[in-house]
Amino acid sequence: MEHENIFYRIARFYIDGFRSMTLGKTLWCLILIKLFVIFFVLKLFFFPNYISTNAKEGEEAEFVMKSMTGE
């Protein structure tokens, strides 16, 4: 049964290609682990929520405007 839908054929192409990978699965796992470390772990330790700790509730926009304009 052949599907003429282009999206179905594209999805099938990538799914079949990923199933036949051997080394590629390991490399994709490493990539996903690195992305997790970059976006979640480093954000927790090096990028704290500066606005919520320094601005009063409801005055966040004014705090950002003053910080950007240097007032």
Side-chain angles (χ1 to χ4, degrees):
M1 179 174 182
E2 186 176 328
H3 292 275
E4 294 299 322
N5 188 355
I6 187 73
F7 297 113
Y8 177 79
R9 291 190 332 209
I10 291 171
R12 227 37 242 156
F13 175 77
Y14 283 104
I15 290 170
D16 290 340
F18 190 75
R19 278 190 194 140
S20 64
M21 282 186 187
T22 54
L23 179 62
K25 286 183 183 179
T26 306
L27 294 175
W28 274 108
C29 286
L30 286 174
I31 290 169
L32 293 175
I33 290 170
K34 287 173 88 174
L35 287 174
F36 175 77
V37 168
I38 289 170
F39 287 111
F40 293 104
V41 175
L42 290 178
K43 183 187 181 319
L44 290 175
F45 294 113
F46 295 108
F47 303 107
N49 196 346
Y50 185 74
I51 295 172
S52 67
T53 57
N54 293 323
K56 295 179 183 174
E57 185 70 30
E59 297 180 3
E60 291 89 357
E62 291 85 12
F63 176 76
V64 172
M65 185 179 66
K66 287 180 184 178
S67 298
M68 290 179 72
T69 59
E71 292 179 16

